[in-house]
mmCIF file of all heavy atoms in Angstrom:
data_model
loop_
_atom_site.group_PDB
_atom_site.id
_atom_site.type_symbol
_atom_site.label_atom_id
_atom_site.label_comp_id
_atom_site.label_asym_id
_atom_site.label_seq_id
_atom_site.Cartn_x
_atom_site.Cartn_y
_atom_site.Cartn_z
ATOM 1 N N LYS A 1 133.520 -63.315 -60.408
ATOM 2 C CA LYS A 1 132.031 -63.609 -60.655
ATOM 3 C C LYS A 1 131.216 -63.708 -59.468
ATOM 4 O O LYS A 1 131.670 -64.446 -58.533
ATOM 5 C CB LYS A 1 131.957 -64.897 -61.585
ATOM 6 C CG LYS A 1 130.473 -65.239 -61.966
ATOM 7 C CD LYS A 1 130.507 -66.272 -63.100
ATOM 8 C CE LYS A 1 130.984 -67.603 -62.593
ATOM 9 N NZ LYS A 1 130.836 -68.660 -63.611
ATOM 10 N N ILE A 2 130.008 -63.171 -59.399
ATOM 11 C CA ILE A 2 129.159 -63.285 -58.278
ATOM 12 C C ILE A 2 127.869 -63.995 -58.762
ATOM 13 O O ILE A 2 127.454 -63.797 -60.011
ATOM 14 C CB ILE A 2 128.752 -61.929 -57.674
ATOM 15 C CG1 ILE A 2 128.155 -60.877 -58.685
ATOM 16 C CG2 ILE A 2 129.979 -61.341 -56.903
ATOM 17 C CD1 ILE A 2 127.813 -59.687 -58.112
ATOM 18 N N THR A 3 127.364 -64.833 -57.939
ATOM 19 C CA THR A 3 126.227 -65.677 -58.395
ATOM 20 C C THR A 3 125.107 -65.527 -57.318
ATOM 21 O O THR A 3 125.408 -65.607 -56.113
ATOM 22 C CB THR A 3 126.542 -67.123 -58.566
ATOM 23 O OG1 THR A 3 127.629 -67.326 -59.586
ATOM 24 C CG2 THR A 3 125.364 -67.911 -58.896
ATOM 25 N N VAL A 4 123.850 -65.380 -57.735
ATOM 26 C CA VAL A 4 122.739 -65.173 -56.849
ATOM 27 C C VAL A 4 121.790 -66.331 -57.169
ATOM 28 O O VAL A 4 120.988 -66.246 -58.133
ATOM 29 C CB VAL A 4 122.027 -63.908 -56.976
ATOM 30 C CG1 VAL A 4 120.953 -63.711 -55.934
ATOM 31 C CG2 VAL A 4 123.109 -62.663 -56.872
ATOM 32 N N PRO A 5 121.724 -67.369 -56.332
ATOM 33 C CA PRO A 5 120.786 -68.518 -56.556
ATOM 34 C C PRO A 5 119.399 -67.987 -56.484
ATOM 35 O O PRO A 5 119.053 -67.366 -55.359
ATOM 36 C CB PRO A 5 121.099 -69.599 -55.495
ATOM 37 C CG PRO A 5 121.850 -68.813 -54.412
ATOM 38 C CD PRO A 5 122.611 -67.725 -55.199
ATOM 39 N N GLN A 6 118.510 -68.398 -57.313
ATOM 40 C CA GLN A 6 117.118 -67.948 -57.341
ATOM 41 C C GLN A 6 116.183 -68.956 -56.559
ATOM 42 O O GLN A 6 115.348 -69.537 -57.081
ATOM 43 C CB GLN A 6 116.614 -67.666 -58.675
ATOM 44 C CG GLN A 6 117.451 -66.732 -59.513
ATOM 45 C CD GLN A 6 117.399 -65.359 -58.953
ATOM 46 O OE1 GLN A 6 116.327 -64.629 -59.094
ATOM 47 N NE2 GLN A 6 118.490 -64.878 -58.383
ATOM 48 N N ASN A 7 116.524 -69.083 -55.183
ATOM 49 C CA ASN A 7 115.861 -70.073 -54.430
ATOM 50 C C ASN A 7 114.442 -69.802 -54.167
ATOM 51 O O ASN A 7 113.693 -70.752 -53.805
ATOM 52 C CB ASN A 7 116.563 -70.238 -53.056
ATOM 53 C CG ASN A 7 117.967 -70.606 -53.113
ATOM 54 O OD1 ASN A 7 118.353 -71.447 -53.998
ATOM 55 N ND2 ASN A 7 118.847 -70.232 -52.174
ATOM 56 N N ASP A 8 113.962 -68.633 -54.459
ATOM 57 C CA ASP A 8 112.626 -68.326 -54.340
ATOM 58 C C ASP A 8 111.671 -68.725 -55.429
ATOM 59 O O ASP A 8 110.432 -68.731 -55.237
ATOM 60 C CB ASP A 8 112.419 -66.737 -54.130
ATOM 61 C CG ASP A 8 112.806 -65.964 -55.233
ATOM 62 O OD1 ASP A 8 113.861 -66.382 -55.886
ATOM 63 O OD2 ASP A 8 112.240 -64.886 -55.511
ATOM 64 N N LEU A 9 112.239 -69.041 -56.532
ATOM 65 C CA LEU A 9 111.504 -69.457 -57.698
ATOM 66 C C LEU A 9 111.275 -70.981 -57.734
ATOM 67 O O LEU A 9 112.221 -71.716 -57.903
ATOM 68 C CB LEU A 9 112.177 -69.029 -59.066
ATOM 69 C CG LEU A 9 112.281 -67.533 -59.188
ATOM 70 C CD1 LEU A 9 113.004 -67.316 -60.508
ATOM 71 C CD2 LEU A 9 110.939 -66.773 -59.191
ATOM 72 N N LYS A 10 110.182 -71.446 -57.556
ATOM 73 C CA LYS A 10 109.840 -72.886 -57.438
ATOM 74 C C LYS A 10 109.498 -73.418 -58.751
ATOM 75 O O LYS A 10 108.180 -73.542 -59.051
ATOM 76 C CB LYS A 10 108.869 -73.270 -56.347
ATOM 77 C CG LYS A 10 109.186 -72.638 -54.912
ATOM 78 C CD LYS A 10 110.514 -73.183 -54.491
ATOM 79 C CE LYS A 10 110.883 -72.595 -53.092
ATOM 80 N NZ LYS A 10 112.155 -73.080 -52.553
ATOM 81 N N VAL A 11 110.392 -73.681 -59.622
ATOM 82 C CA VAL A 11 110.082 -73.955 -60.975
ATOM 83 C C VAL A 11 110.026 -75.502 -61.244
ATOM 84 O O VAL A 11 110.959 -76.209 -60.702
ATOM 85 C CB VAL A 11 111.182 -73.335 -61.950
ATOM 86 C CG1 VAL A 11 110.987 -73.718 -63.413
ATOM 87 C CG2 VAL A 11 111.231 -71.803 -61.729
ATOM 88 N N VAL A 12 109.096 -75.947 -61.946
ATOM 89 C CA VAL A 12 108.946 -77.378 -62.207
ATOM 90 C C VAL A 12 108.768 -77.504 -63.767
ATOM 91 O O VAL A 12 107.979 -76.857 -64.394
ATOM 92 C CB VAL A 12 107.741 -77.971 -61.617
ATOM 93 C CG1 VAL A 12 107.575 -79.488 -61.929
ATOM 94 C CG2 VAL A 12 107.961 -77.894 -60.067
ATOM 95 N N VAL A 13 109.519 -78.593 -64.348
ATOM 96 C CA VAL A 13 109.338 -78.911 -65.852
ATOM 97 C C VAL A 13 109.109 -80.389 -65.891
ATOM 98 O O VAL A 13 110.018 -81.144 -65.432
ATOM 99 C CB VAL A 13 110.682 -78.464 -66.505
ATOM 100 C CG1 VAL A 13 110.531 -78.870 -67.950
ATOM 101 C CG2 VAL A 13 110.864 -76.956 -66.372
ATOM 102 N N ASP A 14 108.003 -80.752 -66.448
ATOM 103 C CA ASP A 14 107.731 -82.168 -66.610
ATOM 104 C C ASP A 14 107.894 -83.064 -65.398
ATOM 105 O O ASP A 14 108.412 -84.141 -65.428
ATOM 106 C CB ASP A 14 108.604 -82.754 -67.733
ATOM 107 C CG ASP A 14 108.335 -82.069 -69.139
ATOM 108 O OD1 ASP A 14 107.254 -81.526 -69.277
ATOM 109 O OD2 ASP A 14 109.277 -82.262 -69.990
ATOM 110 N N GLY A 15 107.562 -82.434 -64.272
ATOM 111 C CA GLY A 15 107.636 -83.138 -63.010
ATOM 112 C C GLY A 15 108.957 -83.071 -62.260
ATOM 113 O O GLY A 15 109.121 -83.596 -61.176
ATOM 114 N N PHE A 16 109.980 -82.470 -62.845
ATOM 115 C CA PHE A 16 111.343 -82.273 -62.276
ATOM 116 C C PHE A 16 111.504 -80.895 -61.750
ATOM 117 O O PHE A 16 111.170 -79.938 -62.461
ATOM 118 C CB PHE A 16 112.378 -82.570 -63.306
ATOM 119 C CG PHE A 16 112.497 -83.937 -63.842
ATOM 120 C CD1 PHE A 16 111.801 -84.385 -64.958
ATOM 121 C CD2 PHE A 16 113.353 -84.923 -63.106
ATOM 122 C CE1 PHE A 16 111.971 -85.752 -65.297
ATOM 123 C CE2 PHE A 16 113.489 -86.260 -63.524
ATOM 124 C CZ PHE A 16 112.687 -86.631 -64.638
ATOM 125 N N LYS A 17 111.986 -80.861 -60.552
ATOM 126 C CA LYS A 17 112.282 -79.526 -59.941
ATOM 127 C C LYS A 17 113.478 -78.913 -60.536
ATOM 128 O O LYS A 17 114.583 -79.658 -60.696
ATOM 129 C CB LYS A 17 112.522 -79.630 -58.431
ATOM 130 C CG LYS A 17 111.211 -79.922 -57.629
ATOM 131 C CD LYS A 17 111.413 -79.863 -56.128
ATOM 132 C CE LYS A 17 112.378 -80.775 -55.561
ATOM 133 N NZ LYS A 17 112.519 -80.713 -54.041
ATOM 134 N N ILE A 18 113.383 -77.674 -60.897
ATOM 135 C CA ILE A 18 114.507 -76.931 -61.411
ATOM 136 C C ILE A 18 115.101 -76.036 -60.326
ATOM 137 O O ILE A 18 114.502 -75.033 -59.902
ATOM 138 C CB ILE A 18 114.268 -75.995 -62.614
ATOM 139 C CG1 ILE A 18 113.505 -76.914 -63.726
ATOM 140 C CG2 ILE A 18 115.365 -75.390 -63.256
ATOM 141 C CD1 ILE A 18 114.298 -78.005 -64.297
ATOM 142 N N ILE A 19 116.267 -76.420 -59.847
ATOM 143 C CA ILE A 19 116.916 -75.653 -58.724
ATOM 144 C C ILE A 19 118.103 -74.925 -59.304
ATOM 145 O O ILE A 19 118.485 -75.208 -60.364
ATOM 146 C CB ILE A 19 117.245 -76.598 -57.536
ATOM 147 C CG1 ILE A 19 118.294 -77.571 -58.079
ATOM 148 C CG2 ILE A 19 116.018 -77.345 -57.060
ATOM 149 C CD1 ILE A 19 118.859 -78.542 -56.850
ATOM 150 N N PRO A 20 118.735 -73.913 -58.498
ATOM 151 C CA PRO A 20 119.836 -73.217 -59.167
ATOM 152 C C PRO A 20 120.944 -74.082 -59.820
ATOM 153 O O PRO A 20 121.387 -73.553 -60.869
ATOM 154 C CB PRO A 20 120.325 -72.526 -57.819
ATOM 155 C CG PRO A 20 119.040 -72.238 -57.061
ATOM 156 C CD PRO A 20 118.234 -73.470 -57.234
ATOM 157 N N PRO A 21 121.418 -75.092 -59.340
ATOM 158 C CA PRO A 21 122.497 -75.812 -60.099
ATOM 159 C C PRO A 21 121.980 -76.365 -61.354
ATOM 160 O O PRO A 21 122.878 -76.646 -62.265
ATOM 161 C CB PRO A 21 122.836 -77.010 -59.007
ATOM 162 C CG PRO A 21 122.439 -76.538 -57.750
ATOM 163 C CD PRO A 21 121.198 -75.692 -57.968
ATOM 164 N N MET A 22 120.652 -76.487 -61.558
ATOM 165 C CA MET A 22 120.084 -76.867 -62.815
ATOM 166 C C MET A 22 119.885 -75.747 -63.823
ATOM 167 O O MET A 22 119.333 -75.923 -64.869
ATOM 168 C CB MET A 22 118.766 -77.599 -62.541
ATOM 169 C CG MET A 22 118.256 -78.616 -63.597
ATOM 170 S SD MET A 22 119.114 -80.193 -63.468
ATOM 171 C CE MET A 22 118.349 -81.048 -64.856
ATOM 172 N N GLY A 23 120.407 -74.538 -63.401
ATOM 173 C CA GLY A 23 120.332 -73.422 -64.313
ATOM 174 C C GLY A 23 119.412 -72.299 -63.838
ATOM 175 O O GLY A 23 118.731 -71.690 -64.599
ATOM 176 N N LEU A 24 119.435 -72.109 -62.499
ATOM 177 C CA LEU A 24 118.472 -71.182 -62.021
ATOM 178 C C LEU A 24 119.278 -70.296 -61.008
ATOM 179 O O LEU A 24 118.819 -69.942 -59.883
ATOM 180 C CB LEU A 24 117.271 -71.807 -61.279
ATOM 181 C CG LEU A 24 115.980 -70.967 -61.150
ATOM 182 C CD1 LEU A 24 115.384 -70.729 -62.476
ATOM 183 C CD2 LEU A 24 115.009 -71.728 -60.207
ATOM 184 N N GLY A 25 120.374 -69.755 -61.474
ATOM 185 C CA GLY A 25 121.215 -68.806 -60.773
ATOM 186 C C GLY A 25 121.579 -67.610 -61.604
ATOM 187 O O GLY A 25 122.220 -67.811 -62.562
ATOM 188 N N SER A 26 121.215 -66.407 -61.110
ATOM 189 C CA SER A 26 121.685 -65.243 -61.740
ATOM 190 C C SER A 26 123.176 -65.097 -61.511
ATOM 191 O O SER A 26 123.718 -65.344 -60.438
ATOM 192 C CB SER A 26 120.953 -63.969 -61.259
ATOM 193 O OG SER A 26 119.608 -64.026 -61.677
ATOM 194 N N TRP A 27 123.949 -64.532 -62.495
ATOM 195 C CA TRP A 27 125.273 -64.311 -62.236
ATOM 196 C C TRP A 27 125.750 -63.019 -63.078
ATOM 197 O O TRP A 27 125.171 -62.688 -64.009
ATOM 198 C CB TRP A 27 126.157 -65.502 -62.677
ATOM 199 C CG TRP A 27 126.153 -65.814 -64.110
ATOM 200 C CD1 TRP A 27 125.231 -66.775 -64.675
ATOM 201 C CD2 TRP A 27 126.849 -65.289 -65.238
ATOM 202 N NE1 TRP A 27 125.475 -66.829 -66.048
ATOM 203 C CE2 TRP A 27 126.373 -65.943 -66.438
ATOM 204 C CE3 TRP A 27 128.005 -64.412 -65.244
ATOM 205 C CZ2 TRP A 27 127.005 -65.607 -67.643
ATOM 206 C CZ3 TRP A 27 128.432 -64.077 -66.471
ATOM 207 C CH2 TRP A 27 127.983 -64.666 -67.678
ATOM 208 N N VAL A 28 126.838 -62.488 -62.440
ATOM 209 C CA VAL A 28 127.577 -61.261 -63.180
ATOM 210 C C VAL A 28 129.009 -61.492 -62.934
ATOM 211 O O VAL A 28 129.462 -61.803 -61.886
ATOM 212 C CB VAL A 28 127.080 -59.923 -62.454
ATOM 213 C CG1 VAL A 28 127.729 -58.795 -63.216
ATOM 214 C CG2 VAL A 28 125.536 -59.786 -62.555
ATOM 215 N N ALA A 29 129.797 -61.232 -64.067
ATOM 216 C CA ALA A 29 131.226 -61.428 -63.972
ATOM 217 C C ALA A 29 131.916 -60.089 -64.409
ATOM 218 O O ALA A 29 131.364 -59.360 -65.209
ATOM 219 C CB ALA A 29 131.668 -62.522 -65.000
ATOM 220 N N PHE A 30 133.099 -59.879 -63.829
ATOM 221 C CA PHE A 30 133.851 -58.670 -64.105
ATOM 222 C C PHE A 30 135.196 -59.066 -64.633
ATOM 223 O O PHE A 30 135.903 -59.947 -64.105
ATOM 224 C CB PHE A 30 134.104 -57.971 -62.805
ATOM 225 C CG PHE A 30 132.862 -57.399 -62.122
ATOM 226 C CD1 PHE A 30 131.974 -58.227 -61.412
ATOM 227 C CD2 PHE A 30 132.545 -56.026 -62.158
ATOM 228 C CE1 PHE A 30 130.912 -57.744 -60.683
ATOM 229 C CE2 PHE A 30 131.516 -55.550 -61.546
ATOM 230 C CZ PHE A 30 130.582 -56.364 -60.813
#
């Protein structure tokens, strides 16, 4: 499995920052 963290997307929900470990990482598995 390869994972690409989407660090360029500065997403905020209800005042909380959503970073890759919070569900902001694209992935593809073989």
Side-chain angles (χ1 to χ4, degrees):
K1 181 165 66 176
I2 55 178
T3 302
V4 183
Q6 304 295 289
N7 294 328
D8 62 325
L9 296 177
K10 306 302 181 183
V11 179
V12 176
V13 179
D14 296 340
F16 291 92
K17 290 191 295 185
I18 306 302
I19 64 174
M22 202 79 180
L24 206 64
S26 295
W27 62 267
V28 180
F30 297 77

